Amino acid sequence: MVVPFLYQEALLVLASFCSAQDYSDKTPYYPDGLSTAFSLDDYIQTPPYTAVPTANTSNCLADQCDNSVTAYTVTYASDPFSVTVCICDNAVMDLATMAQKFGKVPYLVRATPVLSITAASVGKGGGAFTVGDRIAFFDVGEVTEVFVHEAAHVFDASTLSFTQEWLDDIDADTCVPDGYAQTNAVEDFAQVLVTWTYYVVSRNVDNAPSCMANQIDYLSEVLPAEDILSHLACTLSISQTLNSNWVTNGIQYSEYTVVFTNTGYQPIEITVDLGGIITDIWNMVSVGSTKYTLPSYLTNGLGPSSTHTWGYIIASGVPAIIDVVDPIGCS
């Protein structure tokens, strides 16, 4: 079954009441779909992972393959558990794409756990579907939002979206995320989870749509923002290089180049406190007597694996002590 919305899928759930639900009276907040409104790829980086081939393909949805399937045990550096990634012959996505996309699913959602994800053979269908704790994908280069949506069904387990509280929250609101969320309470739950994830990782929770405030509040209870953010590793490497030094009026001066390197998985905001008598500084912005932060053109902070080079002159023969103001903030 292929459902003609942005997220086409056939969702197999024990939810006969869903067929009677219709939220067409709720305004789609993003009428063109979630992945046209925002991209989680802009804010979430896949943790490092290992992928080990396994002969056990019993967890795969092998009926979505033409002839054969290859399975891998994928373990992310941040996770104490693994997921089976299954690649069919003539698959719509390769191992790297599947592992990278799934690694952007919020930690607590993929920790439900999802047993396996399968890249189907080309031509087997469209979109994606979830069966219990197993997911199959049918579109070439599927977007991260769909990976989160499908994993949300496993996280939900036809339980969270069945509560009277959730149904009441939908009724109390005037909008849902998009047209697909109008289908029923189960699909709406998954789409709101994707939407909530976006507002959390983009550090924009205060601007989440007020027309779905009750649904957002429900998600914030079952998937707290701090739990999403706590698993987004933010780490920083700092190097200093002496360019030159000289003496003027008996005072020694030194010029240094500093390179920040984001060695974590997420964009980061950085504020530093510089010790010593700084007489000049460039490519950093003063936010206090001795505190400096990244320039405004780095609107999303310093991206993963990115560098920022800046420099200063100090009235000393030794480099400044660069004290990173805790905590480093995932931007």
Side-chain angles (χ1 to χ4, degrees), residues 208-227:
S210 59
C211 60
M212 65 178 88
N214 294 286
Q215 298 165 81
I216 291 291
D217 284 347
Y218 185 88
L219 259 296
S220 72
E221 293 173 2
V222 300
L223 184 61
E226 55 268 25
D227 286 335

Side-chain angles (χ1 to χ4, degrees), residues 43-59:
Y43 303 97
I44 306 176
Q45 190 78 4
T46 304
Y49 65 88
T50 59
V52 180
T54 175
N56 182 4
T57 60
S58 61
N59 293 333

Side-chain angles (χ1 to χ4, degrees), residues 49-54 56 59-60 70-76 79-86 95 98-105 109-118 133-135 137 147 151 154:
Y49 65 88
T50 59
V52 180
T54 175
N56 182 4
N59 293 333
C60 301
T70 303
Y72 301 85
T73 300
V74 171
T75 307
Y76 298 98
D79 300 356
F81 53 85
S82 301
V83 61
T84 301
V85 177
C86 308
L95 170 65
M98 291 283 282
Q100 289 165 9
K101 296 287 186 181
F102 189 70
K104 297 180 181 183
V105 173
V109 177
R110 67 174 185 265
T112 305
V114 174
L115 183 63
S116 71
I117 56 175
T118 298
D133 53 5
R134 297 182 295 170
I135 306 169
F137 297 93
F147 277 74
V154 181

Side-chain angles (χ1 to χ4, degrees), residues 14-316:
L14 299 176
S16 59
F17 83 101
C18 284
S19 61
Q21 292 176 338
D22 178 8
Y23 294 115
S24 58
D25 62 324
K26 304 295 182 182
T27 302
Y29 188 78
Y30 297 111
D32 296 324
L34 301 190
S35 63
T36 61
F38 56 78
S39 174
L40 294 177
D41 291 342
D42 292 339
Y43 303 97
I44 306 176
Q45 190 78 4
T46 304
Y49 65 88
T50 59
V52 180
T54 175
N56 182 4
T57 60
S58 61
N59 293 333
C60 301
L61 291 173
D63 56 339
Q64 304 306 322
C65 304
D66 287 336
N67 299 299
S68 61
V69 63
T70 303
Y72 301 85
T73 300
V74 171
T75 307
Y76 298 98
S78 57
D79 300 356
F81 53 85
S82 301
V83 61
T84 301
V85 177
C86 308
I87 309 297
C88 293
D89 56 311
N90 192 29
V92 294
M93 287 179 279
D94 59 17
L95 170 65
T97 302
M98 291 283 282
Q100 289 165 9
K101 296 287 186 181
F102 189 70
K104 297 180 181 183
V105 173
Y107 173 85
L108 288 183
V109 177
R110 67 174 185 265
T112 305
V114 174
L115 183 63
S116 71
I117 56 175
T118 298
S121 296
V122 172
K124 281 290 185 177
F129 72 72
T130 299
V131 181
D133 53 5
R134 297 182 295 170
I135 306 169
F137 297 93
F138 298 89
D139 287 341
V140 175
E142 191 59 273
V143 295
T144 298
E145 290 74 36
V146 173
F147 277 74
V148 177
H149 175 101
E150 293 303 326
H153 286 316
V154 181
F155 180 73
D156 174 13
S158 299
T159 301
L160 297 170
S161 63
F162 280 33
T163 65
Q164 191 60 50
E165 180 183 358
W166 176 244
L167 300 178
D168 290 344
D169 285 340
I170 301 175
D171 289 340
D173 288 337
T174 60
C175 76
V176 292
D178 64 356
Y180 195 31
Q182 292 176 310
T183 307
N184 54 55
V186 174
E187 299 304 340
D188 181 53
F189 177 88
Q191 292 296 71
V192 176
L193 189 148
V194 176
T195 304
W196 168 239
T197 299
Y198 161 68
Y199 280 98
V200 171
V201 299
S202 65
R203 306 312 195 273
N204 203 24
V205 168
D206 289 343
N207 291 319
S210 59
C211 60
M212 65 178 88
N214 294 286
Q215 298 165 81
I216 291 291
D217 284 347
Y218 185 88
L219 259 296
S220 72
E221 293 173 2
V222 300
L223 184 61
E226 55 268 25
D227 286 335
I228 296 176
L229 296 176
S230 66
H231 290 89
L232 303 184
C234 298
T235 54
L236 175 69
S237 156
I238 303 173
S239 66
Q240 294 197 66
T241 302
L242 175 65
N243 297 328
S244 61
N245 52 29
W246 63 94
V247 175
T248 301
N249 296 327
I251 300 174
Q252 184 168 0
Y253 294 89
S254 303
E255 178 185 303
Y256 286 87
T257 294
V258 184
V259 179
F260 286 158
T261 302
N262 182 345
T263 55
Y265 317 146
Q266 314 303 325
I268 54 177
E269 299 286 355
I270 306 165
T271 300
V272 297
D273 194 337
L274 295 185
I277 302 173
I278 306 300
T279 62
D280 195 10
I281 191 167
W282 50 94
N283 291 340
M284 291 289 279
V285 177
S286 175
V287 290
S289 60
T290 60
K291 290 184 172 63
Y292 301 85
T293 192
L294 296 174
S296 60
Y297 63 79
L298 292 173
T299 55
N300 290 324
L302 185 62
S305 302
S306 298
T307 61
H308 176 65
T309 302
W310 56 284
Y312 65 88
I313 295 174
I314 185 173
S316 174

